[in-house]
């Protein structure tokens, strides 16, 4: 059994726990929250034996082997490095950190302490994304990757009324690019690597966070067009367009249906059965890597996480989006 702790007591942590408990080797033994009250309530709800409100104390504990970090983006790097320096394996929510410098620091800590560090980007580990990878050669030379993820934030109405919640607070390294754009970027990096050139456009809100944006990326003989938003909904599928046919993915953040539409009009359905608990696959990947004695996922690898955050750094630079975590540079 792999004994897990969780940092964060929000809805995403609850989704994680429900999915992770489908994995045979998963055991939940500890929770961290900044307040005793929240830690107690969360521990009671999910039957967690150990509770912590101090990260240093938690890091020194032998009550768990690995930790799932679901705190605000700005806290990922500091928390992960502390825990890795105490020998804990880390599964960290996307985006892995605020910027490239923090990701490099996290990777260095993982290597120095010989622990597993993996970005919890679920979509690239789901069976329907695996189907995309396996069948990609069928569409011939790829000319365009076009991905869209727009989801009107449940916090946006409050923002428009003058209340800036976490989702639109740049002090926490939040916003449309970091929270949603990463779902378009990471699969692209897994499939095609790092682009040669990035052109970015974005809408900055009064809070300093970005409400939406778009990226045009060049891969030489192929381009990528990405759109993402927290202030409008998008219903557009993602397409990978090749000279022989087009791969159509219903939702890039959570592929549920995948097919190839060939130039001759025929359609090949690639959809595979998969759990409705979509986070199951990231947990299972993490456990499989650990049990195999490896320290890095082949899919959600250090290199892919570094490439993704490098793209986001460049995009933020172009649209003038800065976080306190960026420092004075």
């Amino acid at each position: 059994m792999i004994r897990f702790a969780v940092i964060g007591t929000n809805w995403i942590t609850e989704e994680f726990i429900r999915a992770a408990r489908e994995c045979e080797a998963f055991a939940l033994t500890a929770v961290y929250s900044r307040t005793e009250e929240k830690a107690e309530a969360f521990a009671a709800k999910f039957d967690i034996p150990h509770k912590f409100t101090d990260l240093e104390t938690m890091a020194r504990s032998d009550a768990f082997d690995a930790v799932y970090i679901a705190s605000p983006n700005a806290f990922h790097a500091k928390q992960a490095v502390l825990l890795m320096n105490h020998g804990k394996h880390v599964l960290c929510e996307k985006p892995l950190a605020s910027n490239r410098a923090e990701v490099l620091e996290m990777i260095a800590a993982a290597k120095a302490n010989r622990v597993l560090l993996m970005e919890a980007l679920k979509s690239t580990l789901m069976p329907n994304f695996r189907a995309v990878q396996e069948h990609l050669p069928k569409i011939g030379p790829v000319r365009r990757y076009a991905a869209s993820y727009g989801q009107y934030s449940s916090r946006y109405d409050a923002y428009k009324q003058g209340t800036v919640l976490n989702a639109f607070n740049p002090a926490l390294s939040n916003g449309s690019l970091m929270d949603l754009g990463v779902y378009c970027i990471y699969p692209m990096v897994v499939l095609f690597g790092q682009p040669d050139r990035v052109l970015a456009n974005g809408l900055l809100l009064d809070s300093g966070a970005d409400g939406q944006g778009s990226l045009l990326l060049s891969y030489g003989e192929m381009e990528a067009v990405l759109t993402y938003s927290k202030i409008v909904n998008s219903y557009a599928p993602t397409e990978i367009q090749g000279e022989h046919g087009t791969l159509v993915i219903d939702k890039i953040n959570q592929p549920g249906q995948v097919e190839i539409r060939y130039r001759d009009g025929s359609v090949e359905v690639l959809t595979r059965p998969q759990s409705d608990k979509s986070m199951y696959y990231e947990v299972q990947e993490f456990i499989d890597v650990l049990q195999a004695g490896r320290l890095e996922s082949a899919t959600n690898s250090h290199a892919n996480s570094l490439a993704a955050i490098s793209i986001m750094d460049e995009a933020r630079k172009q649209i003038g989006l800065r976080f306190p975590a960026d420092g004075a540079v």
Side-chain angles (χ1 to χ4, degrees):
M1 300 295 286
I2 308 297
R3 301 171 305 155
F4 277 78
V6 294
I7 291 180
T9 53
N10 52 26
W11 68 270
I12 196 70
T13 311
E14 296 192 5
E15 289 292 307
F16 169 83
I17 292 169
R18 294 186 182 101
R21 282 180 166 164
E22 300 287 311
C23 301
E24 290 183 3
F26 175 87
L28 181 58
T29 59
V31 59
Y32 166 85
S33 181
R34 287 173 296 173
T35 69
E36 189 74 35
E37 183 181 7
K38 284 186 177 179
E40 289 281 357
F42 201 83
K45 183 174 183 178
F46 290 99
D47 193 25
I48 306 171
H50 300 278
K51 304 169 287 292
F52 297 95
T53 56
D54 179 77
L55 276 170
E56 290 278 355
T57 303
M58 180 187 188
R60 292 192 299 268
S61 170
D62 62 359
F64 60 97
D65 312 299
V67 60
Y68 167 71
I69 297 177
S71 54
N73 302 336
F75 303 146
H76 288 181
K78 184 177 180 180
Q79 292 173 344
V81 169
L82 172 65
L83 287 152
M84 288 189 288
N85 284 342
H86 284 80
K88 310 302 185 187
H89 304 285
V90 171
L91 177 61
C92 185
E93 260 305 331
K94 57 80 203 163
L96 195 56
S98 299
N99 51 46
R100 177 184 170 88
E102 288 188 347
V103 171
L104 285 170
E105 184 185 2
M106 293 166 77
I107 292 171
K111 290 181 176 178
N113 295 287
R114 295 197 55 76
V115 293
L116 171 59
L117 169 67
M118 190 182 99
E119 188 163 357
L121 195 291
K122 65 182 181 180
S123 55
T124 48
L125 301 166
M126 296 176 70
N128 283 315
F129 186 80
R130 302 290 197 195
V132 170
Q133 289 177 293
E134 292 170 21
H135 292 271
L136 187 61
K138 292 182 177 179
I139 66 172
V142 176
R143 297 306 186 196
R144 181 179 290 117
Y145 168 90
S148 177
Y149 186 18
Q151 182 173 301
Y152 187 95
S153 173
S154 59
R155 275 78 171 173
Y156 189 47
D157 287 339
Y159 175 85
K160 290 190 288 185
Q161 293 168 6
T163 302
V164 180
L165 300 173
N166 286 2
F168 295 101
N169 184 356
L172 299 176
S173 304
N174 283 345
S176 181
L177 174 66
M178 302 293 278
D179 297 344
L180 302 188
V182 65
Y183 280 110
C184 300
I185 294 167
Y186 208 102
M188 177 192 71
V189 166
V190 171
L191 293 172
F192 306 111
Q194 192 149 12
D196 303 322
R197 190 170 70 251
V198 177
L199 294 174
N201 186 56
L203 173 65
L204 297 184
L205 303 174
D206 290 340
S207 70
D210 62 321
Q212 66 178 33
S214 59
L215 300 178
L216 179 62
L217 309 105
S218 174
Y219 283 88
E221 295 185 348
M222 184 198 108
E223 69 174 4
V225 183
L226 316 183
T227 60
Y228 48 89
S229 179
K230 297 188 78 163
I231 59 176
V232 298
N233 285 327
S234 172
Y235 304 94
T238 287
E239 293 189 346
I240 305 174
Q241 301 164 1
E243 291 187 1
H244 300 160
T246 296
L247 259 162
V248 183
I249 307 165
D250 63 340
K251 295 178 180 178
I252 193 60
N253 62 305
Q254 190 171 309
Q257 296 180 333
V258 183
E259 64 185 21
I260 299 177
R261 299 185 184 183
Y262 291 101
R263 215 174 58 238
D264 64 4
S266 62
V267 177
E268 181 180 4
V269 177
L270 307 178
T271 304
R272 295 176 177 176
Q274 61 186 25
S275 171
D276 60 350
K277 296 179 176 67
S278 58
M279 297 177 79
Y280 163 84
Y281 300 100
E282 68 189 51
V283 187
Q284 192 60 58
E285 170 79 359
F286 188 85
I287 289 171
D288 288 346
V289 171
L290 266 183
Q291 292 182 331
R294 294 183 285 119
L295 299 177
E296 192 175 344
S297 166
T299 303
N300 288 14
S301 64
H302 295 169
N304 286 337
S305 291
L306 197 56
I309 198 68
S310 297
I311 292 168
M312 290 191 280
D313 274 7
E314 177 60 26
R316 290 199 296 114
K317 179 181 176 182
Q318 290 185 23
I319 67 175
L321 175 57
R322 290 190 54 79
F323 299 140
D326 298 328
V329 179

